Amino acid sequence: MHNKRIIILDFDGTLADTASVIIQTMQATISELGLPTRTDEQCSAMIGLRLIEIPPVLFPECDLDAELYATTYRRLFHIYNTEDAVVLYPGVIDTLTELKKRGFTLTIASSRSHRSLVEFIESMNLQEVLTFVLGADDVIQAKPHPEPVLRTLEKFGCQASEALVVGDTAYDIEMGRRAGARTCGVTYGNGSRAELARAGADFLIDDFGELLDIV
């Protein structure tokens, strides 16, 4: 991994533990829109998709307006996203700081909106270590399409061989692989070790700090 220059990171389930507030918001959205009930596990499986991509997957039997779902979710998210509802995983700040000291360019590629990402990054004081942020609304085609990775590589003049994509779901791994980059799955987020392995992750880590051992 000594030739890596850039690390492209997912946010939800990789840097920050957002699962609880996301699932709460999804269940509230389902209730408000009168949609068929879904388990927390079914909701969790949607993390990694853009909001407008969730309805046809989670409710294939319903003729649901995807924009209505997304708008309702965003409004309710601000209610459930109370202070300290979202926290960074252990070791994230120290690891990112060390990676930056080693000369890596650290970026974000997320299915969350750009505005939401910036709000979290600023509230968590990550703006000093993160150089570039791509949200779902910054690209035409989001994960698992490789566009977020390719856009990032183009911005920094890097080759895919110089990049490592880090995420907690199969969508992250597929995105990185389709772009030609190496990939690392984190097992503590929303995807299981088996799912990440099936997706073809080059590395699997159980703690974010283990990134320092593979780059």
Side-chain angles (χ1 to χ4, degrees):
M1 294 293 295
H2 61 277
N3 65 326
K4 296 294 177 284
R5 294 175 49 199
I6 187 166
I7 300 177
I8 301 171
L9 301 151
D10 174 51
F11 183 79
D12 296 272
T14 300
L15 298 184
D17 186 357
T18 57
S20 178
V21 67
I22 288 174
I23 292 170
Q24 282 184 298
T25 306
M26 288 184 71
Q27 292 290 15
T29 302
I30 290 168
S31 177
E32 180 168 317
L33 295 178
L35 296 167
T37 59
R38 293 294 186 262
T39 65
D40 287 353
E41 290 73 21
Q42 288 173 306
C43 292
S44 177
M46 298 299 102
I47 297 176
L49 293 175
R50 291 190 293 186
L51 291 176
I52 59 171
E53 295 172 331
I54 291 175
V57 179
L58 193 57
F59 306 102
E61 75 275 30
C62 300
D63 184 19
L64 174 61
D65 184 333
E67 288 294 344
L68 174 62
Y69 174 88
T71 300
T72 304
Y73 176 96
R74 291 189 188 101
R75 173 171 52 80
L76 292 172
F77 184 82
H78 287 292
I79 297 173
Y80 288 95
N81 184 32
T82 56
E83 186 176 0
D84 298 326
V86 174
V87 296
L88 293 173
Y89 286 107
V92 164
I93 290 181
D94 289 343
T95 302
L96 292 178
T97 300
E98 177 60 26
L99 288 169
K100 187 174 180 65
K101 286 181 180 177
R102 294 186 187 185
F104 287 97
T105 297
L106 305 175
T107 76
I108 296 284
S110 172
S111 296
R112 181 175 293 280
S113 73
H114 185 97
R115 178 180 176 181
S116 179
L117 283 170
V118 170
E119 289 174 351
F120 275 127
I121 288 167
E122 291 180 348
S123 69
M124 295 172 170
N125 297 313
L126 295 175
Q127 61 267 41
E128 295 301 318
V129 291
L130 297 172
T131 304
F132 183 58
V133 174
L134 271 182
D137 46 345
D138 294 319
V139 296
I140 297 173
Q141 301 183 87
K143 304 174 186 180
H145 194 278
E147 182 186 344
V149 174
L150 298 175
R151 286 270 305 275
T152 303
L153 295 177
E154 180 181 12
K155 176 176 177 60
F156 291 97
C158 292
Q159 301 297 314
S161 60
E162 299 174 298
L164 177 68
V165 175
V166 183
D168 68 310
T169 71
Y171 302 120
D172 299 303
I173 304 306
E174 183 179 347
M175 174 184 68
R177 293 190 66 207
R178 291 173 66 182
R182 300 295 291 276
T183 59
C184 175
V186 302
T187 63
Y188 53 78
N190 299 299
S192 69
R193 173 179 287 271
E195 290 169 340
L196 295 165
R198 283 197 299 270
D202 296 295
F203 304 95
L204 293 173
I205 59 175
D206 301 316
D207 180 276
F208 191 75
E210 293 175 31
L211 258 185
L212 297 174
D213 298 325
I214 66 173
V215 296

